[in-house]
Amino acid sequence: ALRIALTALGNQFISLIKDSTLVSVITVNELLLTGRNIISRTYQPMTVYMAIAFIYLVLSNLTAVAVRYLERIQNRPYAKAR
């Protein structure tokens, strides 16, 4: 059952990371809000927004790689049976 559900759970987790900026509308303190606070002190919006974009990119890609790895581990017994 875990092998079947792992793909859907991994996609949901990646989507959760990407959609976390939408949660900031509900006043959840997260990365984009912290970036806005830094911008108000440094007056360098492009640098801060580029750093935030890079962090989101790294988080999304690392999560995708981890999910792919877990899927391969879960599918090993079934790949030998083919």
Side-chain angles (χ1 to χ4, degrees), residues 8-30:
L9 289 173
N11 290 337
Q12 285 291 82
F13 189 67
I14 293 168
S15 179
L16 179 69
I17 291 172
K18 290 180 179 179
D19 293 341
S20 67
T21 56
L22 298 175
V23 178
S24 68
V25 175
I26 312 172
T27 67
V28 175
N29 191 8
E30 52 96 37

Side-chain angles (χ1 to χ4, degrees), residues 22-61:
L22 298 175
V23 178
S24 68
V25 175
I26 312 172
T27 67
V28 175
N29 191 8
E30 52 96 37
L31 191 58
L32 195 58
L33 181 62
T34 305
R36 288 183 189 142
N37 291 337
I38 294 170
I39 290 169
S40 68
R41 284 182 271 144
T42 63
Y43 301 106
Q44 295 181 350
M46 287 305 292
T47 306
V48 175
Y49 285 136
M50 291 299 284
I52 290 170
F54 180 73
I55 291 169
Y56 275 121
L57 181 68
V58 168
L59 283 174
S60 298
N61 286 336

